[in-house]
Amino acid sequence: MPQSGEMMDWLRHMKVGQSIEKVNTGKLEVSLLASKNGTEIIHHTLHEGGSWGLTPQDGWNELESVFVISGCLAYTSGDRQGIVSPGDTISTEPVKDHVIFTALEDTTFLYICSNAVFHFYSEITQKFQQLAVDIEQKDGYTADHCERIRRNSLLIGQRMNLSSYQLHCLNFGSFFHDIGKIDVPDTILLKPATLTHEEFDIMKRHPEFGKKILCSTGLPHLHDASTIVEQHHERFNGSGYPNHLKGDAIEVGAAIVAVIDSFDAMTSKRPYKRAKPEAWAIDEIISGRGSLYHPDVVDAFLASVDDITKS
Ligand SMILES: [Fe+2]
């Protein structure tokens, strides 16, 4: 096996264009470089703020390695956190805890697995992409909105030292929080006037619709995230919907999305309203601390507010 320095030389001579197959999801570009007897070498480019992870699975007993070529990855595995820099390798056999990586800058790395995963990977990616397009086509939302909610929710989750499993759920749950709006009729979703009581009752079912959609994909990643989607409109004092859950009965990931999504909604321009100034929205979040919003989430939000982007 080449040592890391030799590996770097070898990679410099290798063109990514020589890959067998490629997948591009916006934040992540994946190329299958080589494959033999089940072993695969997959090149990844993960753009700044993007996340990627390893998931344990029953009956899975393979070697998985991540070798960073350039950039920098922060990772959480169980309750451990660390940084992976160029030349570093992380290997697991098999992966026992969820591992979630976040790119601190544009990062390239190799993922080497002793079993063929690329085609399954492509299939999952295509399903995710289709769901993202479905969201985009509804409610005037763009993929940027979903990506911003995901990125900012993960910032809060990392600041609150959530476990890698909780971050994994938050990663998908935050991105797909409003996927249930696909099942809300356009006449309600796009109505340019105030909704009637009956229409609002239907709109309020989108968390429940979203949970069903994620569970129906058959993808464990999305199944794990479905509770966050179901609970993202619950409020700390029980005034939310659909189940009027209170306090810690609300999953922490859903409590995080509640704050980030509220802040984003207040500071976003919509056809029927102007964007509010960020300082005004921050005051609203503070005034909801302990009533609408979980106090610990509000504290983490305030500690992260300089990193929370509206771009
Ligand atoms: Fe929502």
Side-chain angles (χ1 to χ4, degrees), residues 177-178 181 206 232-233 261:
H177 65 287
D178 270 345
K181 286 186 176 173
H206 78 270
H232 76 278
H233 282 285
D261 191 34

Side-chain angles (χ1 to χ4, degrees), residues 19-25 28-35 38-44 52 60 64 111-126:
S19 61
I20 302 169
E21 287 182 60
K22 284 188 180 188
V23 174
N24 186 338
T25 66
L28 179 68
E29 294 147 33
V30 185
S31 301
L32 179 60
L33 295 185
S35 171
T39 298
E40 289 185 339
I41 302 176
I42 306 174
H43 183 279
H44 290 64
W52 182 85
W60 181 255
E64 293 176 89
Y111 166 67
I112 301 142
C113 183
S114 62
N115 203 337
V117 293
F118 189 80
H119 285 100
F120 176 64
Y121 208 0
S122 314
E123 194 186 320
I124 287 184
T125 305
Q126 277 166 11

Side-chain angles (χ1 to χ4, degrees), residues 186-195 199 271-273:
D186 284 355
T187 48
I188 296 176
L189 196 62
L190 305 176
K191 187 175 174 182
T194 308
L195 298 181
E199 288 167 337
Y272 51 85
K273 72 166 189 73

Side-chain angles (χ1 to χ4, degrees), residues 46-65:
L46 186 62
H47 294 285
E48 185 180 349
S51 292
W52 182 85
L54 299 173
T55 304
Q57 224 178 308
D58 286 345
W60 181 255
N61 196 29
E62 303 298 334
L63 171 69
E64 293 176 89
S65 283

Side-chain angles (χ1 to χ4, degrees), residues 74-276:
Y75 74 89
T76 303
S77 174
D79 55 7
R80 286 176 295 123
Q81 295 176 343
I83 299 286
V84 203
S85 301
D88 291 345
T89 305
I90 284 192
S91 292
T92 64
E93 185 191 353
V95 59
K96 292 192 178 72
D97 267 324
H98 285 81
V99 186
I100 185 151
F101 296 91
T102 304
L104 300 181
E105 54 190 280
D106 288 353
T107 300
T108 58
F109 64 93
L110 294 181
Y111 166 67
I112 301 142
C113 183
S114 62
N115 203 337
V117 293
F118 189 80
H119 285 100
F120 176 64
Y121 208 0
S122 314
E123 194 186 320
I124 287 184
T125 305
Q126 277 166 11
K127 282 193 183 178
F128 287 169
Q129 271 180 321
Q130 188 54 52
L131 285 173
V133 168
D134 290 347
I135 297 176
E136 221 176 302
Q137 289 173 344
K138 278 275 196 174
D139 197 27
Y141 272 141
T142 64
D144 282 353
H145 164 82
C146 299
E147 175 55 30
R148 194 166 59 239
I149 299 293
R150 186 198 68 76
R151 182 186 178 281
N152 290 336
S153 295
L154 274 187
L155 273 177
I156 304 294
Q158 282 157 340
R159 186 169 284 274
M160 292 178 74
N161 292 318
L162 299 194
S163 72
S164 55
Y165 176 71
Q166 289 172 310
L167 292 174
H168 150 85
C169 295
L170 184 57
N171 190 33
F172 292 102
S174 55
F175 188 83
F176 291 116
H177 65 287
D178 270 345
I179 187 75
K181 286 186 176 173
I182 288 170
D183 286 344
V184 174
D186 284 355
T187 48
I188 296 176
L189 196 62
L190 305 176
K191 187 175 174 182
T194 308
L195 298 181
T196 65
H197 198 68
E198 291 72 26
E199 288 167 337
F200 193 52
D201 280 347
I202 294 172
M203 180 66 123
K204 286 201 296 188
R205 295 188 65 195
H206 78 270
E208 171 201 332
F209 297 155
K211 180 181 175 138
K212 275 190 194 148
I213 290 169
L214 293 196
C215 292
S216 70
T217 63
L219 298 174
H221 296 67
L222 297 186
H223 193 279
D224 293 346
S226 63
T227 305
I228 290 179
V229 173
E230 183 186 31
Q231 296 181 357
H232 76 278
H233 282 285
E234 299 289 358
R235 294 295 179 254
F236 193 70
N237 59 8
S239 64
Y241 60 86
N243 295 315
H244 310 291
L245 299 178
K246 274 187 186 175
D248 290 333
I250 303 167
E251 205 169 272
V252 64
I256 291 172
V257 175
V259 169
I260 294 296
D261 191 34
S262 298
F263 178 72
D264 203 82
M266 287 186 255
T267 51
S268 294
K269 182 171 168 277
R270 291 289 168 82
Y272 51 85
K273 72 166 189 73
R274 287 183 183 176
K276 298 280 191 190

